[in-house]
Amino acid sequence: MFKLNLKIALRNLWRNRGITFINIGGLSIALAAFILVMIYAAYETGFDKSNPNYDRIYQVGRSMQDLKTNYTPPPLAQAIKDNFPEVEAVGKMKSGAFELPLFTNEGTVFTQNFLMADYSATQMFKIKPDYGLEKPKGESVSLFLPRAYMQTLFPHKKDNKPELVGLASKSAGQSGEVIGSVFVDPHSNISFDALYISNDLGKGEDYGFNNYQTYIQVKKGTDIYNLEQKINKLYQTELAKNSGNDDRFKSTTIFLDPLKNLHLKPKTGSDANYKVLISVSVLGFLILIIACINFTNLSIAQAAKRAKEVGVKKVMGAYRVQLAIQFLTEILIQCIAATVLSLIFAELVLPGFNSLFLVNLTIWQSNSSLIWQLPLILFFITLIAGIYPAMVLSGFKPAAVLKGNFQTSKQSYWLRNSLLVIQFSIAVIFITGLLIINSQLKYMRTQDVGFKADQVIYVKNIALFSDPAIFEPIREKIMKISGVKSVTVTNSIPDGSKLGTNTYAVDAKKELISFLDVDFDYFETLNIKLKEGRPFSKEFKTDAVNSAILNESATAKYGLTNPLGKTIRGCDMDYKIVGIIKDFKAQGFEKAVEPTIYTLKNPCGNPKTMIMIKIEESKMSETLASLKNQWLNINPKDGDNFRYQFLDQLYGKLFQKQEQLQSVFFAAAILTIFIAILGLFAFAKYITNGRIKEIAVRKILGASDLQIMKLINTSFFTMVILANLISWPVAYILTKKWLGTFAYRIEMPVLPFIISALITILLTIITVSLQATKAVKAKPVDALKYE
Amino acid sequence: MIEIKNIEKYYASKGVKHYVLRHVTTSIKKGEFVSIMGPSGAGKSTLLNILGMLEESTYGQYEFMGEDVTTLSERKRIELYRNHIGFVFQAYHLIDEMTVYENIEAPLLYKKIGNSERKSRIADLLDRFNIVAKKDLFPNQLSGGQQQLVGIARALAAQPSLILADEPTGNLQSVQAEEIMELFRKLNKEEGITIIQVTHAEKNAQYGNRILHIADGVVKDDVQVG
Ligand SMILES: Nc1ncnc2c1ncn2[C@@H]1O[C@H](COP(=O)(O)OP(=O)(O)OP(=O)(O)O)[C@@H](O)[C@H]1O
Ligand SMILES: [Mg+2]
């Protein structure tokens, strides 16, 4: 029985191979998208999951009035360990994005992301150096490097003995010991490219040194909320003991953030990853639904054709279930074919997907859950796509279908059309969304951001230049190189980095504002416009001491109408305001420009290390070459290597997330409209085939070709219009919400709505007309002869 | 075998009842060969469909082999199809996607007949109807008469005790029609299969042993022949 049904199913599919192909093709594309989304989701939710204590590790964080941070003081860890038996282990880490060159005679590497961890933290996170880890003795620190770095530094190394590497620069003459290599799990929240392991971290530092990440591992069944309260209480008492009655810490509370949330939605960071994951999952799901709808629709459209078979089989003694299973089997066969194809498609687009999302996924990982998920998906799409047609087809009454002139019911007619409308609605939402994203991105690319990053290079440097006097000779040497227009040094470049904040007072008004420490020629290098007053200048001796420049937002915040000459106080300093600059969007378009004070001298700021050089466009390459050649001479404290990045590229990275979104929407819009059109194509084919007799009769009665084309197109046309009407408000609300995430944005445009309507209507008419012409061109006699 | 009493069938449209059958009462015994005749639209097909349980009457009693059909569950009814009733249609209604062999095999599969038994029965039927050479062809590769032979073979495969045929020769030329009628007579005489057919041709009716004349939904005449 099954074998026969299978045979019939295959014959049926072959007979309608055009439509079968469309069905399978559409579904496989959608499935490919869905599979990618699934492995992406599995990857994103799987950080540190291989850790056996995954569910029992928490990060300790501090919550202050307006911010949450994971920087905690070092004594806290030991205090937690000592007081709460339910805490099995505690670990401390400290990381920094401090670039340090390491070199041997064989090669040089630049570590960007060092991590200091105490021994128990490495145990907690299963960080295992390649030749094992001995607990460091006493105060000693063991340095481990990633395998790739070790390979560069010691290409001929065979043994597992420690080696010496040079630090910083040859002239500095410093060296350190590398114990060995370590595997850096890219799928872990703990990332580093240089690892210092010590017995303990932050010895002698008290509760004021909030520079460490603290992790705890609790026993099974621990009440986390309760523990959180207890640790908070402990923190408060310890704090009181240590820092007396400092008001600032009173309102600080402790919270615990589970390891499983750290990658996607940490309490102390952005949940952008989580949002991306959710939206991508929804997209994948919608695309799959659209493809399933094709199945349902086409199977119902086929109903008239299959009705006779149902009737005959029933009078031969088939139960309804048997027939339903038969139809489900047919759909299952197609779904299996689609799954196989989809794996091939997924494999093909995976490289592009990886580079878009900056991940490195593969479909068949050894521990891939895809192996059991795929059959499950197969089962579900077969059900979704097949259950309704199976119910409808198997429900036919033999007497009705065997009598002849059989019509599928009005009910399924409505369903079919509603499903088409849904498909097109989803497609319209994506097209509209894509167009609006495009407009906003175009706006961001063409808008004046208030500064010019072109031809400005950011030079990495490890020497400290907080005092303008120390930087001056360096500047002079750089300026001598032909092509260099201006040079400055600062402690933060306009690449979206958040600036430090501090309280400053003008007159009696205290406000929390951002601060940036710059050097002479900062505004000139970035071509930032002055509103009033003057920029910093070497001619004014006081500028290096206590002059300040504010941006427009800051003057607005203080409500200053006549700011020049006023005094602004902060960080135990009295600054005189000498100039006001126009706001510039150092943080991109999402955040409003922050009120900022620019000073040359600021005891509260980080040291100035980031050099920016503006270079003439025509002399770019030779200037870079000269800088490279003379760097050791120009800036001996930085070491032997001239390392730079183009500022416009760094700033461009701020657009990356939105460009990612744009690509996702582009793919989604193309896929949804493609699959919907595919379905429409096959559907229109069925409908016109079913109406061939009607068309023939109408032609004999004198209808013109155009009238018949109109007749066939009308119902589809109405459906697309309806789909547009439905999706406009949805698209409007969603895109409005998205635009709302930008501080600087376009007005909601009307054009995208009109364009997506035009695109869908045009595609529909073309698709339907392609089918209709065939029916119209056919000679009426041929259609009527066989009746 | 069949007892019907006061069968009525009407279609209601806009509150008005359009009667197709009225007060039809008759009984058909095992081994009879009954022809139902009457003008077009008289209700012949409707009556046959009711007898075959494809349609339900709006009123009246129907007993099939001593069982009350009106209270029969869908499952029970299908059991009856599997074991007792074979249908032959004017439009043949072979399944286009199945070969001749598979069409005949289908009812046996539903009846869960074992593999070897199935094979021998089909071989028998193919042989008997002289269509062995055609067994791997699809319906659209056969002539109308051949298709109807396959249709009858399919109806017989499950060894039914009753065959219901609605104008089985309606689409056939007279020579082919005679052949089919001969076959029916033989099945009736030699195997004792009860046959009820709807026909327009007096000539075809003569092959049976009883004629029910229907007009306007009422049995006008019930005559024995031969
Ligand atoms: N679904 C229906 N709704 C309304 N009336 C119906 C329906 N089906 C059949 N009829 C009516 O019932 C009557 C009898 O139909 P039936 O098919 O039994 O006639 P018939 O005797 O077989 O005619 P013919 O010789 O042309 O096949 C006809 O008048 C027909 O219009
Ligand atoms: Mg009839």
Side-chain angles (χ1 to χ4, degrees), chain A residues 20-265:
Chain A
T20 305
F21 182 74
I22 286 175
N23 241 349
I24 294 178
L27 183 62
S28 58
I29 291 171
L31 254 181
F34 192 72
I35 288 173
L36 287 182
V37 167
M38 275 205 336
I39 54 177
Y40 176 64
Y43 177 80
E44 285 288 294
T45 55
F47 274 70
D48 281 313
K49 225 174 192 167
S50 57
N51 191 319
N53 305 318
Y54 176 67
D55 287 325
R56 296 190 281 130
I57 296 176
Y58 292 81
Q59 190 180 54
V60 182
R62 294 184 311 131
S63 168
M64 287 169 277
Q65 263 160 355
D66 48 2
L67 109 146
K68 285 184 155 72
T69 168
N70 54 16
Y71 287 108
T72 47
L76 183 61
Q78 194 57 43
I80 292 174
K81 183 100 203 282
D82 293 342
N83 283 284
F84 307 118
E86 63 263 50
V87 177
E88 276 178 359
V90 294
K92 288 185 295 252
M93 289 181 189
K94 178 179 182 174
S95 59
F98 179 79
E99 195 174 84
L100 182 69
L102 304 177
F103 59 89
T104 60
N105 290 333
E106 316 273 1
T108 308
V109 296
F110 301 95
T111 67
Q112 317 252 5
N113 181 13
F114 75 78
L115 179 76
M116 288 160 42
D118 62 11
Y119 181 74
S120 59
T122 62
Q123 298 307 101
M124 195 186 290
F125 284 98
K126 313 289 167 204
I127 297 170
K128 290 205 180 72
D130 286 336
Y131 296 105
L133 174 63
E134 269 177 49
K135 196 169 174 173
K137 290 186 190 71
E139 305 277 299
S140 72
V141 174
S142 315
L143 171 62
F144 294 89
L145 292 177
R147 288 172 193 162
Y149 283 5
M150 285 303 272
Q151 184 62 31
T152 309
L153 292 172
F154 309 105
H156 310 298
K157 187 171 166 67
K158 296 262 168 6
D159 58 6
N160 54 4
K161 293 205 179 72
E163 300 277 353
L164 281 184
V165 287
L167 300 176
S169 68
K170 288 193 177 92
S171 53
Q174 293 178 331
S175 65
E177 191 187 40
V178 185
I179 304 296
S181 60
V182 60
F183 169 66
V184 186
D185 185 357
H187 204 186
S188 167
N189 286 290
I190 311 298
S191 70
F192 53 84
D193 68 355
L195 174 67
Y196 298 86
I197 301 177
S198 60
N199 224 337
D200 193 15
L201 275 183
K203 249 195 182 157
E205 293 180 17
D206 65 14
Y207 277 84
F209 291 78
N210 290 307
N211 283 323
Y212 298 84
Q213 275 89 41
T214 306
Y215 296 91
I216 62 171
Q217 178 179 319
V218 300
K219 292 200 172 115
K220 277 200 182 86
T222 302
D223 177 351
I224 285 305
Y225 177 74
N226 184 267
L227 180 64
E228 193 175 70
Q229 301 299 313
K230 287 197 289 187
I231 294 177
N232 189 36
K233 215 167 193 175
L234 172 75
Y235 176 68
Q236 301 296 343
T237 41
E238 292 284 314
L239 207 57
K241 255 193 273 172
N242 280 271
S243 52
N245 276 339
D246 192 334
D247 281 351
R248 270 197 299 162
F249 299 117
K250 281 256 167 82
S251 54
T252 306
T253 55
I254 293 289
F255 62 85
L256 296 178
D257 205 2
L259 177 60
K260 62 168 173 278
N261 285 352
L262 289 189
H263 175 67
L264 283 177
K265 37 174 186 179

Side-chain angles (χ1 to χ4, degrees), chain A residues 481-590:
Chain A
I481 292 170
S482 103
V484 173
K485 280 172 142 180
S486 64
V487 183
T488 190
V489 65
T490 172
N491 60 4
S492 180
I493 56 171
D495 62 348
S497 327
K498 218 171 142 46
L499 301 180
T501 55
N502 206 343
T503 312
Y504 288 84
V506 178
D507 300 333
K509 199 165 180 193
K510 276 189 182 177
E511 293 287 355
L512 190 72
I513 62 171
S514 304
F515 61 81
L516 178 69
D517 307 337
V518 299
D519 204 281
F520 296 110
D521 288 346
Y522 177 84
F523 302 108
E524 289 80 351
T525 305
L526 293 177
N527 204 359
I528 293 165
K529 305 261 178 338
L530 203 66
K531 198 180 158 214
E532 38 183 320
R534 58 172 180 82
F536 294 122
S537 161
K538 279 164 250 173
E539 287 162 27
F540 294 85
K541 288 274 176 303
T542 50
D543 275 5
V545 185
N546 68 347
S547 289
I549 289 178
L550 302 189
N551 64 0
E552 282 177 298
S553 300
T555 53
K557 187 149 190 180
Y558 287 106
L560 301 175
T561 41
N562 220 339
L564 292 184
K566 289 223 157 150
T567 303
I568 180 165
R569 303 173 52 87
C571 198
D572 288 332
M573 297 265 299
D574 283 352
Y575 296 102
K576 195 173 131 216
I577 301 172
V578 298
I580 305 297
I581 54 146
K582 292 203 162 155
D583 285 348
F584 66 99
K585 301 184 181 72
Q587 308 219 42
F589 284 74
E590 284 162 55

